[in-house]
Amino acid sequence: MELQSVQAQFKKLRCCVVIPTYNNEKTLAKVLDGVLNFTDDVFVVNDGSTDSTSKILSNYEFLHITTLPKNIGKGNALKQGFMEALKNGFDYAITLDSDGQHFPSDISLFLNEISGRIDKNIMIIGDRNMNNANVFKESAKGNRISSYWVHAVSGLRLTDTQSGFRLYPIKTMKSINFFEITKKFEFEIEAIIKNYWAGVTIVQVPINILYDVNERVSHFRPVLDIARIVVLFAWFLLVRVFYIIPRDFLRTLQSKGLRRFLVEDFIRNSDSPKKKALSISLGVFIGLSPLWGFHTIIVIFLAIVLKLNKVIAFAFSNISLAPFIPLVLFLSVQTGNLVLGKHSTFSFHDIQSNFNVMQELETYLIGSFVLSVSSAIVFGILGYLLLTVFQKKTQLANA
């Protein structure tokens, strides 16, 4: 993309550049000069630098410069830069680090990517190819771990989740609530996951990278920063299990309707009949088990561990939805009575009016276990037979 074309794309997209910086006096001017070849709409956030950063920035007074009195962290600096960019009417912001590892000439790669898409609700991450021999082993290892957990908490498969060279949809991000406490490197992880959960498309573009040990200064603290990121991942995992997966399931069900959902997401799903049947069995088993309050997190966790269909398992775990709870309790107690050889006069009406948990606890627990196991087997076998028949009919029809 020619220089004039890049400059025109910046204007057309209402895009700017945001650069957070902290004690990068050796590389800051080189980075700024490289960016200024493409656009003058640059927002620099001096995050409490104690070196000659302020003196260097005095030569660039025509830029939007925000100077913070003390160092808080990269996440906070990015947020400050985004707020200033929004105040000035920008919709997108390209960020890159001021330590010299990024090549400003790669800015055109981000503009090419977004310009070629109809849907502009997008976040683009620069992929540094962390397997490259020039990349520090510690950075590559940390990035692989981070990418693994991003996939675990969101389902996104990314190869570089810690790259600071990105295009952010800052106008869309105004409606996303980011944590106030994510003031350091963990904000970049939060931005990926929350944008994705908000419906923003996340893509990557390959970029060049330079790790010059003589010039580059990294402020990443392995122990403290990794600890903050781990806590964030733990929270996101809980949010995904308890809120995001059920929310997305209900949205899909509502938008498609029950019949279309069963056909597209269940019957015509590409998973094998065996995998679907096992997913049904898991959902029914957990749904009828006495683990009230933990059904969702357990069924999703087991579906991930066992590599089953999460949607199907979650759907069938809802066999114990609130309206069906009295019936589930009644069937569990009656099954317990049958197993223990009791002759109980306990009725369905008693479940609804005066069910004594402690009095029937042993009977209920035993009956619940037997009911959940037997029901899981029955539903699984029936599901497998029906799905196998349907698959064969589909194959014959397409032959």
Side-chain angles (χ1 to χ4, degrees):
M1 187 180 286
E2 295 181 358
L3 180 59
Q4 291 182 339
S5 177
V6 174
Q7 295 171 340
Q9 287 288 33
F10 264 108
K11 298 296 183 182
K12 182 178 179 180
L13 292 168
R14 301 198 62 77
C15 181
C16 65
V17 173
V18 172
I19 302 176
T21 187
Y22 173 61
N23 288 352
N24 285 127
E25 59 184 2
K26 294 181 180 180
T27 53
L28 178 58
K30 181 172 64 176
V31 172
L32 290 175
D33 291 340
V35 171
L36 288 170
N37 287 325
F38 302 99
T39 180
D40 294 332
D41 296 318
V42 181
F43 293 80
V44 182
V45 181
N46 179 6
D47 190 20
S49 297
T50 56
D51 59 1
S52 61
T53 293
S54 295
K55 183 178 179 181
I56 294 171
L57 291 177
S58 66
N59 298 318
Y60 299 89
E61 292 181 349
F62 56 92
L63 302 182
H64 303 271
I65 299 174
T66 301
T67 301
L68 304 180
K70 64 177 182 178
N71 176 250
I72 298 177
K74 185 180 182 182
N76 178 72
L78 286 171
K79 292 175 185 177
Q80 295 291 331
F82 293 162
M83 285 192 294
E84 290 301 315
L86 286 168
K87 288 178 184 177
N88 284 269
F90 291 97
D91 296 341
Y92 298 92
I94 292 177
T95 65
L96 67 162
D97 297 339
S98 61
D99 60 3
Q101 67 169 291
H102 300 140
F103 289 76
S105 56
D106 283 343
I107 284 175
S108 61
L109 300 173
F110 295 84
L111 298 176
N112 272 331
E113 181 66 31
I114 190 172
S115 298
R117 289 177 173 265
I118 297 176
D119 180 10
K120 297 291 193 287
N121 189 28
I122 185 174
M123 175 179 174
I124 307 173
I125 302 173
D127 183 355
R128 297 170 293 176
N129 185 14
M130 298 300 284
N131 294 318
N132 191 295
N134 294 325
V135 177
F136 294 134
K137 291 182 179 179
E138 293 82 1
S139 298
K141 182 178 179 181
N143 190 66
R144 285 194 294 270
I145 295 173
S146 174
S147 297
Y148 169 83
W149 281 106
V150 165
H151 173 65
V153 302
S154 68
L156 266 173
R157 290 194 179 276
L158 301 172
T159 54
D160 191 354
T161 56
Q162 295 182 325
S163 172
F165 206 165
R166 303 180 176 188
L167 182 146
Y168 286 94
I170 57 174
K171 186 176 181 180
T172 297
M173 290 168 60
K174 284 196 303 181
S175 61
I176 300 175
N177 293 320
F178 293 99
F179 298 128
E180 291 185 9
I181 60 173
T182 51
K183 297 178 179 180
K184 300 185 183 297
F185 290 95
E186 69 275 9
F187 169 73
E188 291 176 303
I189 297 294
E190 180 189 17
I192 293 174
I193 295 171
K194 287 194 173 180
N195 270 291
Y196 181 66
W197 282 349
V200 176
T201 301
I202 313 292
V203 299
Q204 293 182 293
V205 294
I207 59 172
N208 297 299
I209 186 172
L210 173 65
Y211 275 139
D212 189 331
V213 295
N214 296 317
E215 291 189 341
R216 182 175 182 265
V217 178
S218 174
H219 302 291
F220 186 82
R221 301 166 300 174
V223 176
L224 293 177
D225 288 325
I226 289 176
R228 294 170 69 93
I229 291 173
V230 167
V231 171
L232 187 67
F233 277 136
W235 171 251
F236 280 146
L237 190 60
L238 291 174
V239 173
R240 187 190 184 200
V241 170
F242 281 109
Y243 175 68
I244 298 298
I245 291 178
R247 180 202 69 177
D248 291 347
F249 170 75
L250 293 174
R251 284 181 177 177
T252 301
L253 184 60
Q254 185 178 21
S255 63
K256 293 184 176 181
L258 180 59
R259 182 177 180 181
R260 183 183 166 195
F261 171 79
L262 290 174
V263 172
E264 293 183 2
D265 296 80
F266 181 54
I267 297 176
R268 292 180 181 172
N269 184 278
S270 59
D271 289 335
S272 67
K274 179 182 177 181
K275 185 174 181 178
K276 291 178 184 177
L278 290 173
S279 303
I280 293 172
S281 293
L282 175 64
V284 171
F285 173 74
I286 298 299
L288 293 177
S289 69
L291 304 170
W292 302 101
F294 298 95
H295 286 168
T296 298
I297 188 171
I298 293 174
V299 76
I300 297 300
F301 174 77
L302 290 177
I304 292 173
V305 170
L306 299 174
K307 297 182 179 180
L308 298 178
N309 188 302
K310 296 185 291 294
V311 174
I312 294 176
F314 173 73
F316 278 85
S317 71
N318 285 287
I319 194 171
S320 58
L321 281 172
F324 306 125
I325 290 177
L327 179 61
V328 172
L329 292 173
F330 173 72
L331 292 175
S332 297
V333 172
Q334 292 300 329
T335 302
N337 286 330
L338 182 64
V339 173
L340 296 172
K342 291 184 178 180
H343 298 285
S344 175
T345 58
F346 201 74
S347 67
F348 184 71
H349 173 73
D350 294 328
I351 288 286
Q352 296 177 302
S353 58
N354 59 347
F355 180 56
N356 189 322
V357 176
M358 296 308 297
Q359 182 179 337
E360 303 289 343
L361 184 60
E362 180 187 13
T363 304
Y364 164 69
L365 289 176
I366 294 175
S368 178
F369 178 75
V370 173
L371 179 65
S372 59
V373 171
S374 57
S375 298
I377 293 173
V378 171
F379 274 80
I381 292 175
L382 289 175
Y384 177 75
L385 293 174
L386 291 173
L387 290 166
T388 301
V389 170
F390 180 83
Q391 185 183 60
K392 289 181 178 178
K393 286 185 177 181
T394 303
Q395 291 173 346
L396 289 173
N398 295 331

